[in-house]
Amino acid sequence: MRTSESRSEAIERSLLGPEQGDHAHDAATAGPVLTPPERAHFEREGLLVLRGWSPPNLVIAAREASEEQLIARRDPLELEVDVGYPGAPGSRSTAGGDTVRRLLRAYERDESFRALGTSGPLGAVLRELMTGATGDEAAQPSAPVLLVQSHHNCVMTKMPSFSSATHWHQDIRYWSYQRPELISAWFALGSEIEENGCLSFIPGTHRMRFGHEQLDERQFLRTERDDNQMLLATRVTPSLAPGDLVLFHCRLFHAAGSNFTTTPKFSLVYTYRAAGNSPLAGTKSASLADIPI
């Protein structure tokens, strides 16, 4: 791999074949793009960090687009007060009440967001994981992977002073699909550390079953319980650099803290499903058309 190219660019080059070769070949018929340890890690842990994944020029473009649209307050937006998580302002009329939490409908907002979320290399990686680690038998090597527009599909804008903390949860709790087998992609557009509210995960929880008594009324993990505290002791908090990518299973418990720095943190987030894992009719999951990649 050339040191100046991102991992996604290197995979794309391998999928296209030799520079002086014959015809380019389809990602669905190419060889594996993940190593066996990487695939095994995702299957076991429910997450995979791909360092240096995104091309630097796209990361810069996406960061600039996020900053510009945040300043312009381009709709649709979600405010911290709309969610009411710990640390959020109490109302729109109080200090910080207009703090933006998410730039919604990211796919429609900017070409850089679309390019990051629909690249051929990303589709190849997701297809491998969906035909193996998720156990989704409906995901076939030749079938498309779809970018879900009804969930995530946003830029997370974790602002200083008024950002909230998100407690331990599974994304699938409010989603409606034939099977709970989706994968989310978290693109770091800047540095992500504990001080600015990076993600934490409890590895392996995507393979576990949880009783109602382990969750509160909003389906957050009840951290005071002894059995849950044993799980929390295994949490991991990977720091991310600009261009890093985290892939995680929709049943994996994860959380994020508040931003205690003086600089906003931006992350592009999408979710993906196999073509055969359709949303249930009449639910929010089916409210927008998904994008084949």
Side-chain angles (χ1 to χ4, degrees):
M1 179 188 301
R2 298 190 299 270
T3 56
S4 60
E5 68 181 349
S6 66
R7 182 165 181 189
S8 63
E9 289 173 316
I11 292 174
E12 184 170 35
R13 180 164 50 82
S14 71
L15 293 176
L16 292 174
E19 293 180 359
Q20 302 299 324
D22 295 324
H23 300 291
H25 55 283
D26 191 289
T29 61
V33 295
L34 293 174
T35 66
E38 287 173 331
R39 294 193 295 275
H41 183 88
F42 187 88
E43 183 173 2
R44 181 181 66 255
E45 307 291 325
L47 75 150
L48 181 63
V49 179
L50 297 175
R51 302 291 182 184
W53 172 266
S54 303
N57 63 311
L58 277 181
V59 174
I60 293 171
R63 172 79 184 213
E64 291 177 348
S66 300
E67 293 172 341
E68 292 169 0
Q69 295 190 24
L70 177 63
I71 292 172
R73 299 185 69 87
R74 177 179 163 187
D75 288 328
L77 304 173
E78 177 184 82
L79 304 186
E80 288 284 2
V81 71
D82 296 336
V83 180
Y85 287 165
S91 71
R92 296 196 179 203
S93 61
T94 60
D98 62 348
T99 301
V100 175
R101 172 182 167 82
R102 295 196 299 168
L103 306 176
L104 302 174
R105 305 282 287 263
Y107 181 82
E108 300 174 358
R109 285 178 174 268
D110 192 81
E111 177 56 34
S112 63
F113 301 160
R114 291 189 288 274
L116 285 169
T118 60
S119 72
L122 178 62
V125 167
L126 291 168
R127 192 173 292 106
E128 281 190 23
L129 295 178
M130 288 181 179
T131 56
T134 67
D136 193 341
E137 296 178 356
Q140 299 298 325
S142 59
V145 169
L146 288 91
L147 182 154
V148 170
Q149 289 206 85
S150 301
H151 303 297
H152 282 147
N153 187 18
C154 67
V155 176
M156 301 291 300
T157 58
K158 184 152 286 195
M159 305 298 291
S161 302
F162 298 107
S163 65
S164 62
T166 306
H167 288 174
W168 295 99
H169 67 283
Q170 297 170 306
D171 285 335
I172 194 63
R173 59 186 175 156
Y174 297 139
W175 301 353
S176 303
Y177 289 86
Q178 292 178 350
R179 293 172 302 284
E181 302 291 350
L182 296 88
I183 296 175
S184 292
W186 185 282
F187 299 85
L189 304 182
S191 296
E192 303 204 12
I193 56 177
E194 286 195 67
E195 288 76 9
N196 66 5
C198 68
L199 287 170
S200 294
F201 304 91
I202 308 178
T205 48
H206 67 303
R207 296 183 287 108
M208 301 178 185
R209 295 292 179 264
F210 291 83
H212 294 298
E213 69 280 0
Q214 291 179 269
L215 308 174
D216 67 16
E217 65 279 1
R218 299 180 71 178
Q219 298 189 48
F220 290 113
L221 203 64
R222 293 179 56 187
T223 58
E224 77 279 6
R225 289 179 56 92
D226 290 342
D227 50 357
N228 289 343
Q229 288 182 10
M230 292 178 63
L231 291 173
L232 290 169
T234 69
R235 66 183 178 270
V236 296
T237 305
S239 296
L240 303 178
D244 288 349
L245 170 65
V246 185
L247 301 175
F248 57 99
H249 197 286
C250 67
R251 292 201 307 270
L252 188 71
F253 271 95
H254 57 286
S258 299
N259 184 355
F260 295 105
T261 72
T262 59
T263 305
K265 182 173 75 67
F266 295 94
S267 314
L268 176 66
V269 192
Y270 288 120
T271 295
Y272 301 85
R273 66 175 177 88
N277 188 15
S278 299
L280 301 183
T283 67
K284 180 182 177 181
S285 298
S287 61
L288 295 172
D290 296 337
I291 309 298
I293 67 170

